[in-house]
Amino acid sequence: MKNQKGIKNRSFFFLILFLFLTSLLSIKTLQKVGTQDIRIFGSELFSQNDLVKNTSLNLPIRLIFIETNLLEKELKQNLSLKNVSVNRALFPFGLKVYITSRIPIAYGERILNDEKILGFIDKEGIFINKQNIDEKNLNKLTIQVFGWKEKFKKILSEIFIDIENYELEIVKITFSTDGFLTVEEEDLKTIFLGFKPNLINYQLQIIKNLKNEFKKKSFSKKIDNIDLTNPDKPKIKVFKP
């Protein structure tokens, strides 16, 4: 009988504890989140106010009503971030925001509403506004990209990969307003690549082969420009004596 009474008492205790914790959690989720309740991890570049300004978050707001997926999407887009994770937290109360920044590998310039905007480009071809970059990541940038547009991300990413694989010294990548692609290589100077992004890997491989061949013959100093718009029929223009 004593054992049964003890079991009943423990069961009653755990029931009361469960109800208390459930009530406490419910109360916590209904508390309002303020700017001071946002904690940022992974970056010292952004403040709590930066996060609020770049989202649709209207503070104060009850914790339970915060759409974390929407905040992640907005922050990633508006701050040019590689990854963002937003979590509701009860202890300590508030939002935990985990940030992974993009690392620039080139200077960038884009045109938006007829205005030139200076920034940077990462390995995936993503444009990063200069205010969203940690200056310690700007060492040893040697490439410039002009005329960046959203639709050029993929081809830029392929170019960056091939530059590394083929050990090319491309210093400038330019897209005209209609999308014509031109690059400048340290030894081969101006190279016209044209409008066909599907040919870019083949074209860059040809650039590597030409670079190696011309170096053997000390011919690269005589080159004015190379036309690879038809990579099967390269046209090389040399300086006139």
Side-chain angles (χ1 to χ4, degrees), residues 9-236:
N9 288 338
R10 284 196 297 272
S11 298
F12 180 73
F13 170 77
F14 285 121
L15 176 60
I16 295 299
L17 180 62
F18 174 76
L19 292 174
F20 171 77
L21 291 175
T22 302
S23 299
L24 179 62
L25 293 177
S26 298
I27 293 170
K28 277 282 189 180
T29 60
L30 291 174
Q31 276 186 241
K32 290 186 176 181
V33 175
T35 306
Q36 73 280 359
D37 299 313
I38 300 174
R39 294 169 181 80
I40 303 169
F41 302 88
S43 175
E44 298 178 357
L45 183 62
F46 304 106
S47 68
Q48 296 160 316
N49 287 328
D50 290 328
L51 268 57
V52 174
K53 289 177 183 177
N54 285 277
T55 65
S56 56
L57 193 60
N58 189 16
L59 299 178
I61 183 175
R62 299 188 192 280
L63 182 66
I64 196 172
F65 295 140
I66 294 177
E67 299 180 59
T68 56
N69 289 338
L70 176 60
L71 293 184
E72 290 169 355
K73 183 178 180 181
E74 290 175 332
L75 289 172
K76 189 173 181 180
Q77 176 69 32
N78 297 335
L79 296 180
S80 306
L81 299 172
K82 187 174 180 64
N83 195 33
V84 184
S85 177
V86 179
N87 298 321
R88 301 188 194 93
L90 297 179
F91 304 101
F93 175 80
L95 288 179
K96 291 183 177 179
V97 182
Y98 298 88
I99 289 174
T100 305
S101 299
R102 293 186 179 277
I103 299 175
I105 64 170
Y107 295 100
E109 178 186 287
R110 66 183 297 193
I111 306 295
L112 187 63
N113 298 325
D114 296 324
E115 180 184 355
K116 287 184 180 180
I117 298 175
L118 301 179
F120 302 89
I121 313 290
D122 82 336
K123 195 170 184 177
E124 295 177 13
I126 303 294
F127 187 90
I128 314 165
N129 290 326
K130 59 183 180 181
Q131 66 267 27
N132 297 334
I133 283 293
D134 190 335
E135 290 187 3
K136 68 183 180 182
N137 290 324
L138 301 183
N139 296 331
K140 300 180 180 179
L141 297 186
T142 59
I143 305 171
Q144 294 176 298
V145 178
F146 296 93
W148 182 94
K149 290 182 181 179
E150 191 83 18
K151 63 182 179 181
F152 299 142
K153 291 187 302 184
K154 183 178 179 182
I155 189 172
L156 276 171
S157 179
E158 292 182 31
I159 291 172
F160 292 143
I161 291 171
D162 286 342
I163 286 175
E164 187 174 341
N165 290 341
Y166 298 146
E167 298 181 345
L168 297 172
E169 296 176 279
I170 290 177
V171 295
K172 187 185 293 185
I173 302 168
T174 304
F175 295 94
S176 67
T177 53
D178 58 357
F180 188 95
L181 174 60
T182 304
V183 300
E184 185 174 318
E185 209 275 340
E186 189 70 33
D187 294 315
L188 302 182
K189 310 308 177 188
T190 302
I191 305 169
F192 304 116
L193 300 180
F195 294 104
K196 299 178 180 178
N198 58 307
L199 295 177
I200 190 64
N201 300 115
Y202 182 35
Q203 290 169 319
L204 291 173
Q205 188 174 1
I206 291 174
I207 292 173
K208 173 62 174 176
N209 295 338
L210 289 173
K211 184 180 174 75
N212 290 340
E213 193 63 30
F214 291 163
K215 270 193 172 182
K216 293 177 186 176
K217 300 177 182 179
S218 299
F219 186 74
S220 59
K221 293 180 181 179
K222 302 176 183 179
I223 296 173
D224 182 12
N225 63 67
I226 299 174
D227 187 342
L228 289 181
T229 52
N230 182 353
D232 291 323
K233 296 180 180 180
K235 297 177 183 179
I236 302 171

